[in-house]
Amino acid sequence: MRKGLATLVCLTLVAVVWAWAATAYSTYWVETKTTTLGGSIEVANNTALSGVGAIRFTSFTTANAVPVTVTPDSGYKISTVTVDNVAQTVPATGAYTYNGLQTPDHTVKIVAGFVGANAATSAAKTWQLQLQNGSAGGTISGAGHTLTTYGMKMYNFSDTTAIPVTVTPATGFYVSSLYVNSVLQSSFPTTGGTYTVDPSQTGKVFNVTANYKKQVNVVTTNTSSPLAANGILPVNPKVAYGNDVKLIVAPMAPYNTVTAISVTGSTYTAISMVDSQGNTAAPFKGSVVVTISNVTGPLNISYAAGTDNTGQMGGCTNTCHLSASAAVQAVPAQWGASLHKANAIDCVTCHQTMPGPVLTSANNCETCHGGGDKQGAPTVNFLNGVHWTNQMNTFTNATTANAYLISVEGPNGPDVGQWSMDCTNNCHFKPTTVGKDACLACHNQHRPETGLPADATAPNAIFFAYSTLPSSGTVPGVDANGNPTTESLQFGYWRHDTGCVKCHHQGNGEGNAPNLLDNSDFPAAPHFDATGTGVAFMNAGNTCATCHGHNNSINVDYGQSAHGDVTSSAWAEGGSGTPCVRCHTTQGFINYSTFKVVTPIAATKSVLSCNGCHTSTDMAYSPFGNLTTVNGVTGSLRKIAAYPAVYTQSGSANVSFQFPDVGPSNLCIPCHSGRVSGKNIQGLTSNMANTGFKNSHYKAAAGILYKSVGFEFYTSTSNPMYTDPATNTVYFEHSLIGSTGANADGVTAPGTGSLGPCVGCHLLNGPGHTLKIFTRDTTGAVTAINNTICVGCHAGDPGALDFSTDLTQLNGQINGFQASLGALQALLQSKGIYYNSAVYPYFFKDASYNTTTGTTSDWTLGTNDNAQGKMNMGAAFNLNLLTREPGAYAHNRFYAKRLIFDAIDWLQNGSLTGTIDVTQIQQIPAFDANAAADYLGTTRP
């Protein structure tokens, strides 16, 4: 019984399986392929297939029909569709769908091709594309095929679709030529590009061959120095990419050493140097072999030559100079440390016979130092200077001088009994031509760049030499009449046998030799500060040579400038810490402008001395400067790059501004750009109902000239309201002065030099070192213009101020500018914001100007609206900025007017309307409303 039931169950299951098998669907495959570019083929809802020769297999298990859609791309049409090699009828345009795919019993093959939409409808022809690299060094590709090595590949196509062929050179190579069917394509770029093969235009076989060559780089050999260039071989060699180059650096006579070799550019892997003695680092003796490895770009190589005459001069230094007097024995060491030795000036250059005279009339200092060569023509400058033109041969106080020397130095002091002889022979004479003694009065002939024989190794001893002990006290002396007196030693014990002090001391009664230690002899230029609290010229980093070179005439002008004004708060408040020292001390400015370093310096208060702007205050040539000529004297300005300003304010993001490169005028910009910008106020995140005023800092002339510092009420970049409108740019050219450039409208400023606007206006063309463009009377009115280029532009131009006949328009601009600032101050005061430019932080709640409890902090004026608070502070910011920059009306009159106008517009109307009426502003404090109205107008300038 049980066995029978089991058998029945099994038979039932088998029947069920057979019934299921009778209704199941078999699996089949579809192969799709596109033979060309220009379209795709899609099976059911699967991903579309495209590309030249692209193939895909898709499987299905269904009894339903499966659609296959062929779709051309834009600009193409279907050329052919075959199903199992049977051509299908396709539309002239648009897509085609094949719906005959339903439970086939084999793999179905569907192939589609495409041609351009405008291709002829005639039967497609078969053609061949041959991609060929004629040499190694690049890649050639087309229709999805790529060849990266030397050789050729061939591909067949069945339609006339154009195929772009791309040629790409490998790194270090360039495309030397491209041929299509043996025809050179001369315009094909060497950097690579695309050539389109159009088979509908020519034959059935297209061969595209690309050839490559290695890039060639030039190693430039010292183009700046013809002499040195002749000492590097080969000259300007060409080096294939990745190869090494070997050069010989051989110093030319009279040089015999190489003191430095410089390779500029980073396109190499390594460099090695070795001279004939095995030295691998400078200084090298004789010729040097330089090997530069793996050169991948252009390079420059240069060298500095020197001279080592130690061997040649052994005959002198090892004979006479070993057994003579102490002074003669000291000569070899002095000469060995001198620039004369470094420049191959040896004994026989100056001495006709040895032993013999120091110099002869035909061979003296003037021989080398009298022209405009690398020595900087010091003789020419000396002849124009006060030490020559003041007729120093009128020496009348020999007895007084000797008495003073004996009393100060003691009976055994240096030069006792010889003072009058020294003074007479060295300085107080005037032969018809410059002779040996004129230079040797100050210079040690064997080491002329340092000092007198008594202190030959002290740097700048000819100008500034004193012992540090004793540091205070007094010594006996005599006055100009020979009467006994006491001399204070506030500045150390001066050595009266050295440097400028040899003549400039209180015992010398000569009227043209003022006492260096007595500030009463220099009422406009105190050289020392006895109290330690004032400002003086002699301070850390300065020597007499800092300001007094061979020609002292410039100092008269310099003493009238703000840079040399010891009474100015800019110097009195300079201090010694960061960041003030970068602009308020000479050494701090040198550190910042040259090395971008701001570090504390020795406690001092100094004016901006000559060496702040000049690399050589002796008016000598310097490789680090720009040579300029002022009042007939050539000087070397310190050279710095275009200034990248960063305006900073706590509570706001930094604001960067790149000033343009204006050559020597770059020197002025770091300290005249301001330190806080109006954009810093716009970026404040603090509560404007409780924050202090943000100060732009002072004398921001460059910030006004180049529009980097003001608070700009219009901030939309799509509506730049502070650029000069095209109709007015012809009347604003001040930023172009001293350049050959042009503004956006093509406006230039010809005839203004090439040293930038600061130097072009304030130094050259008339002002000199006074830096003063105008001469003013006691009321401040301009009575004369000192710069000739001003009148050159401002004469007869209807859009510019006319200075050709009188100065009425100019003084009107100045008065209008000041009156407009008065209107802005009065309007702020009517809002409860009181301005006092003499009391920091300048803005107060009332006229008591209480710096503890009365400073303005709620810039929202009770609204607690931060946006309004920033606008209110911005108006105050512009008032203070322009008050501190009294030349803004000239530096950039449009920008200055708009900063004032927009501030008044905001405060007067509560929004920016573009119209104002300054006559409606309450006259507290009083201002000239008519002058302000004439200057600003009623609609935005």
Side-chain angles (χ1 to χ4, degrees):
M1 181 67 178
R2 293 177 181 172
K3 184 176 181 181
L5 289 174
T7 301
L8 180 60
V9 171
C10 289
L11 290 173
T12 302
L13 290 174
V14 171
V16 171
V17 171
W18 283 347
W20 175 83
T23 60
Y25 312 117
S26 60
T27 299
Y28 63 90
W29 293 83
V30 179
E31 177 188 350
T32 51
K33 179 179 180 180
T34 54
T35 61
T36 65
L37 298 173
S40 61
I41 183 169
E42 180 179 1
V43 180
N45 293 322
N46 292 289
T47 303
L49 175 71
S50 63
V52 178
I55 299 175
R56 179 179 295 152
F57 289 88
T58 309
S59 63
F60 293 93
T61 306
T62 177
N64 297 325
V66 176
V68 179
T69 302
V70 180
T71 306
D73 293 338
S74 175
Y76 288 82
K77 65 183 178 180
I78 302 171
S79 61
T80 60
V81 174
T82 62
V83 179
D84 288 341
N85 296 320
V86 177
Q88 307 296 304
T89 302
V90 297
T93 60
Y96 166 75
T97 301
Y98 174 71
N99 293 308
L101 184 61
Q102 187 172 14
T103 61
D105 58 0
H106 64 282
T107 298
V108 179
K109 185 176 182 179
I110 304 176
V111 181
F114 308 89
V115 294
N118 297 322
T121 57
S122 59
K125 61 182 179 180
T126 299
W127 64 281
Q128 185 178 82
L129 174 64
Q130 299 176 352
L131 301 178
Q132 183 173 353
N133 274 333
S135 60
T139 298
I140 184 170
S141 59
H145 304 287
T146 300
L147 180 62
T148 59
T149 60
Y150 168 79
M152 181 176 70
K153 289 186 178 181
M154 298 174 288
Y155 306 95
N156 295 324
F157 300 91
S158 60
D159 60 67
T160 58
T161 302
I163 293 179
V165 175
T166 300
V167 179
T168 305
T171 301
F173 288 80
Y174 67 96
V175 180
S176 59
S177 62
L178 183 75
Y179 289 89
V180 177
N181 287 348
S182 300
V183 177
L184 175 65
Q185 307 301 306
S186 58
S187 62
F188 193 80
T190 59
T191 55
T194 298
Y195 177 87
T196 300
V197 175
D198 185 359
S200 66
Q201 301 299 319
T202 56
K204 294 184 178 182
V205 176
F206 291 86
N207 176 273
V208 183
T209 301
N211 297 298
Y212 313 92
K213 288 184 179 179
K214 276 193 173 184
Q215 294 175 356
V216 176
N217 300 296
V218 176
V219 179
T220 304
T221 53
N222 242 355
T223 56
S224 62
S225 174
L227 173 64
N230 292 333
I232 301 181
L233 295 174
V235 176
N236 301 332
K238 297 180 179 179
V239 188
Y241 184 92
N243 287 7
D244 301 344
V245 62
K246 182 176 292 187
L247 303 105
I248 306 297
V249 177
M252 306 296 290
Y255 305 103
N256 61 3
T257 66
V258 176
T259 59
I261 295 176
S262 173
V263 176
T264 57
S266 58
T267 52
Y268 64 92
T269 300
I271 182 170
S272 63
M273 310 177 200
V274 62
D275 65 13
S276 58
Q277 298 184 22
N279 297 310
T280 57
F284 297 102
K285 306 294 184 182
S287 299
V288 186
V289 177
V290 180
T291 302
I292 308 175
S293 304
N294 189 28
V295 177
T296 58
L299 299 171
N300 286 272
I301 182 171
S302 59
Y303 77 97
T307 303
D308 186 354
N309 291 348
T310 304
Q312 294 92 313
M313 302 312 297
C316 298
T317 58
N318 295 329
T319 54
C320 301
H321 288 277
L322 290 180
S323 57
S325 66
V328 174
Q329 291 183 44
V331 167
Q334 295 167 7
W335 173 78
S338 71
L339 289 176
H340 274 176
K341 175 181 181 294
N343 287 280
I345 305 299
D346 51 34
C347 300
V348 295
T349 304
C350 300
H351 293 270
Q352 199 170 45
T353 60
M354 291 173 289
V358 175
L359 296 170
T360 68
S361 59
N363 186 18
N364 53 31
C365 304
E366 187 181 9
T367 302
C368 294
H369 298 280
D373 57 5
K374 69 178 182 178
Q375 285 80 27
T379 302
V380 175
N381 284 335
F382 172 73
L383 291 174
N384 291 324
V386 296
H387 283 140
W388 189 253
T389 59
N390 277 354
Q391 300 286 332
M392 294 190 299
N393 54 332
T394 57
F395 186 72
T396 59
N397 288 279
T399 302
T400 301
N402 272 318
Y404 174 76
L405 175 68
I406 294 173
S407 65
V408 172
E409 302 289 357
N412 298 316
D415 290 344
V416 169
Q418 299 296 316
W419 188 271
S420 61
M421 183 182 299
D422 287 349
C423 295
T424 302
N425 291 341
N426 286 342
C427 293
H428 295 275
F429 72 100
K430 196 168 186 178
T432 55
T433 60
V434 179
K436 57 183 180 181
D437 292 332
C439 299
L440 301 184
C442 293
H443 293 275
N444 173 357
Q445 64 268 39
H446 293 111
R447 194 179 180 192
E449 69 273 18
T450 54
L452 296 171
D455 198 6
T457 60
N460 297 307
I462 58 171
F463 299 110
F464 182 88
Y466 65 95
S467 171
T468 57
L469 293 175
S471 59
S472 62
T474 59
V475 294
V478 292
D479 61 20
N481 298 316
N483 300 316
T485 185
T486 299
E487 179 184 1
S488 173
L489 290 178
Q490 301 164 343
F491 319 107
Y493 181 60
W494 285 78
R495 295 190 51 171
H496 292 79
D497 62 332
T498 60
C500 303
V501 189
K502 188 168 186 177
C503 292
H504 293 277
H505 61 84
Q506 69 184 43
N508 184 352
E510 300 301 318
N512 55 11
N515 178 13
L516 181 63
L517 305 180
D518 186 355
N519 285 341
S520 63
D521 278 6
F522 302 91
H527 280 62
F528 295 92
D529 171 34
T531 65
T533 59
V535 180
F537 286 87
M538 294 301 294
N539 49 60
N542 287 351
T543 69
C544 299
T546 298
C547 297
H548 302 279
H550 290 104
N551 189 330
N552 194 38
S553 60
I554 286 178
N555 290 335
V556 177
D557 288 347
Y558 164 74
Q560 301 176 52
S561 73
H563 287 168
D565 182 5
V566 294
T567 65
S568 170
S569 60
W571 315 120
E573 299 174 6
S576 58
T578 59
C580 303
V581 294
R582 78 183 201 185
C583 287
H584 295 278
T585 64
T586 297
Q587 192 58 48
F589 176 70
I590 295 172
N591 294 343
Y592 180 68
S593 63
T594 307
F595 308 108
K596 293 297 181 289
V597 174
V598 182
T599 56
I601 60 175
T604 182
K605 293 180 179 181
S606 70
V607 294
L608 181 61
S609 300
C610 304
N611 59 327
C613 297
H614 293 273
T615 57
S616 174
T617 54
D618 191 34
M619 304 308 155
Y621 171 79
S622 169
F624 306 105
N626 303 274
L627 289 176
T628 59
T629 299
V630 178
N631 295 340
V633 180
T634 299
S636 184
L637 285 173
R638 193 175 301 281
K639 181 183 292 184
I640 67 173
Y643 182 57
V646 178
Y647 294 98
T648 62
Q649 175 61 56
S650 60
S652 178
N654 290 350
V655 176
S656 298
F657 183 86
Q658 178 61 60
F659 282 88
D661 187 350
V662 286
S665 290
N666 290 343
L667 193 65
C668 310
I669 293 176
C671 293
H672 290 281
S673 56
R675 290 183 53 200
V676 176
S677 165
K679 290 183 175 61
N680 291 122
I681 296 176
Q682 293 166 351
L684 286 173
T685 58
S686 53
N687 179 8
M688 297 304 296
N690 186 24
T691 190
F693 176 67
K694 312 307 176 188
N695 180 22
S696 64
H697 216 59
Y698 316 109
K699 298 293 190 292
I704 294 297
L705 179 63
Y706 294 107
K707 303 187 290 287
S708 69
V709 70
F711 182 90
E712 299 178 356
F713 286 82
Y714 294 89
T715 59
S716 171
T717 57
S718 62
N719 185 20
M721 299 294 285
Y722 294 91
T723 58
D724 301 315
T727 56
N728 288 333
T729 48
V730 68
Y731 304 136
F732 176 69
E733 303 176 16
H734 287 181
S735 61
L736 301 174
I737 291 174
S739 73
T740 57
N743 65 14
D745 296 311
V747 176
T748 61
T752 59
S754 60
L755 302 182
C758 308
V759 175
C761 288
H762 289 278
L763 186 69
L764 301 183
N765 307 304
H769 281 76
T770 67
L771 306 182
K772 295 177 180 179
I773 297 178
F774 302 138
T775 298
R776 300 174 184 267
D777 62 18
T778 56
T779 67
V782 175
T783 58
I785 299 174
N786 302 324
N787 192 306
T788 57
I789 66 171
C790 295
V791 179
C793 292
H794 292 272
D797 189 331
L801 301 175
D802 191 349
F803 300 161
S804 60
T805 55
D806 61 54
L807 301 175
T808 303
Q809 290 190 46
L810 174 60
N811 283 309
Q813 285 284 304
I814 297 172
N815 295 334
F817 173 70
Q818 295 296 336
S820 298
L821 291 177
L824 177 54
Q825 178 180 351
L827 189 55
L828 279 167
Q829 185 163 313
S830 71
K831 304 289 184 181
I833 301 174
Y834 288 71
Y835 179 59
N836 187 332
S837 63
V839 182
Y840 185 83
Y842 312 129
F843 291 94
F844 301 88
K845 299 175 184 178
D846 54 45
S848 66
Y849 307 122
N850 189 304
T851 58
T852 304
T853 60
T855 60
T856 299
S857 59
D858 182 5
W859 295 95
T860 72
L861 303 180
T863 65
N864 290 318
D865 186 321
N866 276 346
Q868 291 187 26
K870 292 178 182 179
M871 300 287 261
N872 293 334
M873 182 185 284
F877 181 89
N878 285 350
L879 170 61
N880 186 60
L881 165 70
L882 296 172
T883 300
R884 309 293 184 175
E885 212 291 84
Y889 67 90
H891 290 135
N892 193 328
R893 60 177 174 141
F894 289 112
Y895 188 60
K897 282 184 180 182
R898 288 167 180 163
L899 293 180
I900 301 171
F901 187 98
D902 293 340
I904 293 176
D905 189 6
W906 164 257
L907 294 172
Q908 192 172 58
N909 301 311
S911 62
L912 298 173
T913 66
T915 60
I916 63 172
D917 185 354
V918 295
T919 64
Q920 299 302 310
I921 299 175
Q922 185 179 8
Q923 290 267 340
I924 302 176
F927 64 93
D928 188 338
N930 292 328
D934 288 342
Y935 183 76
L936 293 174
T938 58
T939 59
R940 192 173 191 270

